[in-house]
């Protein structure tokens, strides 16, 4: 046993300095279960951050990252017991009590139709008022294209200095979405007409007018909810294939292919992230611990109509 090794981490090689040698590292298994971690009491965030940093140094099979979209800290491990032990260590060693919850899903929103819409912001108070007036055309783009803004103004109906404010108002509104508060993607917004007031018009007025127009226009352009779809690869003994494939079908999964490998079967499938959070636990139960899987993000797809409405109501309440 050696004490006070300040810079030594799991996987390092200790050797004689006259005969430097590096032994092959350990090929650690990838995490299979992700949970959102949050403090039980406010003010413990720093303790959790320090504790998780130390625990990931000790145990390379723990992975921690912050999800910028949902603003959650996600801790990943090899299973439920592994994450429970990690939470217990945080309490014992660092005095930080935590709650582990299923992470929120980074949904997206998009539109399927087109719309032409007017946005007018007019406010008259004592002195100078506010006036901004725009006409926008909103249309869908191919999946993955993101967002496009087009300036189709001719004849100065909206002065050039206000057009960047219109785009900014649109971009800021895209972040909030219109169905359940998730970002709007894959759409094109064209500014094709409007009007202004020589005294009352301002960048802020046009920004507000554009925001109002986009919210109204997106609702009229058949908005839909998109969910992340994962590529899943499951390795199971051949005699358990039927049970595993049946379970994937229940999770709205699509079987993409199968092939034998080292006496087992490899099942490749795609399934919604929403259905896969606790898959590590369920697969272990179905296969008595003989099955393993890996999973990574593939693409976004529209949520089926049968599920969409209930889901939107639920997400609105959460928001």
């Amino acid at each position: 046993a050696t004490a006070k090794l300040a810079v030594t981490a799991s996987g390092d090689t200790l050797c004689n300095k006259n005969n430097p040698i590096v032994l092959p590292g350990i090929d650690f298994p990838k995490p299979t279960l992700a949970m959102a971690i949050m403090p039980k009491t406010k003010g413990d965030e720093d303790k959790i951050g320090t504790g998780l940093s130390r625990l990931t140094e000790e145990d390379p099979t723990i992975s921690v990252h912050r999800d910028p979209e949902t603003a959650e800290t996600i801790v990943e491990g090899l299973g439920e017991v592994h994450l429970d032990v990690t939470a217990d260590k945080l309490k014992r060693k660092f005095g930080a009590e935590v709650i582990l919850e299923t992470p929120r899903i980074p949904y997206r929103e998009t539109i399927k139709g087109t719309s032409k819409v007017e946005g007018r912001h007019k406010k008259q108070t004592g002195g100078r008022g506010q006036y901004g007036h725009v006409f926008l055309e909103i249309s869908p783009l191919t999946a993955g294209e993101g967002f496009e803004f087009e300036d189709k103004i001719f004849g100065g109906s909206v002065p050039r200095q206000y057009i960047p404010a219109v785009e900014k108002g649109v971009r800021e509104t895209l972040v909030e979405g219109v169905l359940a508060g998730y970002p709007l993607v894959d759409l094109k917004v064209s500014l094709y007409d409007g009007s202004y007031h020589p005294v009352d018009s301002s960048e802020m007025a046009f920004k507000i007018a554009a925001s109002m127009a986009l919210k109204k226009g997106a609702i009229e352009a058949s908005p839909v909810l998109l969910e992340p779809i994962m590529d899943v690869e499951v390795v199971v003994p051949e005699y358990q294939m039927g049970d595993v494939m049946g379970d994937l079908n229940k999770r709205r999964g699509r079987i993409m292919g199968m092939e034998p490998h080292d006496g087992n079967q490899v099942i490749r499938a795609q399934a919604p992230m929403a259905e896969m959070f606790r898959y590590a636990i369920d697969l272990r139960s179905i296969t008595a611990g003989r099955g393993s899987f890996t999973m990574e993000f593939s693409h976004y797809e529209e949520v089926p109509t049968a599920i969409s409405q209930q889901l939107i109501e639920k997400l609105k309440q959460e928001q």
Side-chain angles (χ1 to χ4, degrees), residues 110-297:
T110 192
I111 56 167
K112 292 174 82 176
T114 58
S115 66
K116 287 191 171 183
V117 66
E118 176 185 13
R120 184 199 293 266
H121 177 63
K122 186 177 181 182
K123 204 170 181 183
Q124 195 64 50
T125 50
R128 186 178 168 180
Q130 291 180 36
Y131 184 85
H133 182 210
V134 296
F135 287 90
L136 302 179
E137 182 177 2
I138 299 162
S139 54
L141 291 176
T142 310
E145 286 192 18
F147 168 68
E148 190 183 319
F149 180 80
E150 186 181 20
D151 168 17
K152 290 167 79 173
I153 292 292
F154 293 103
S157 55
V158 175
R160 304 239 63 83
Q161 71 263 30
Y162 296 135
I163 289 171
V166 173
E167 183 175 353
K168 194 175 179 189
V170 167
R171 283 186 181 275
E172 286 180 6
T173 309
L174 290 175
V175 177
E176 303 163 10
V178 291
L179 284 176
Y182 289 89
L184 261 167
V185 295
D186 303 330
L187 74 161
K188 178 179 177 180
V189 175
S190 304
L191 170 65
Y192 68 91
D193 202 359
S195 65
Y196 71 102
H197 188 281
V199 178
D200 291 349
S201 281
S202 66
E203 287 190 0
M204 181 56 74
F206 273 97
K207 195 170 139 184
I208 293 168
S211 175
M212 290 162 66
L214 181 70
K215 282 179 183 171
K216 186 177 164 192
I219 289 289
E220 291 174 8
S222 310
V224 292
L225 198 64
L226 303 174
E227 63 181 348
I229 303 294
M230 311 301 283
D231 280 330
V232 187
E233 195 171 279
V234 191
V235 181
V236 292
E238 192 160 349
Y239 69 91
Q240 291 175 320
M241 270 179 62
D243 292 340
V244 170
M245 286 167 67
D247 180 66
L248 283 168
N249 286 328
K250 278 187 209 161
R251 295 170 189 272
R252 297 192 279 129
R254 287 193 301 269
I255 307 298
M256 312 300 281
M258 289 164 286
E259 62 184 61
H261 179 72
D262 286 349
N264 289 321
Q265 283 285 340
V266 178
I267 302 168
R268 290 189 178 83
Q270 288 188 334
M273 182 193 276
E275 305 285 349
M276 296 301 289
F277 276 127
R278 301 187 69 80
Y279 190 58
I281 300 161
D282 296 339
L283 181 66
R284 187 174 294 128
S285 169
I286 293 167
T287 64
R290 292 182 181 91
S292 63
F293 79 103
T294 55
M295 181 168 72
E296 59 183 35
F297 172 75

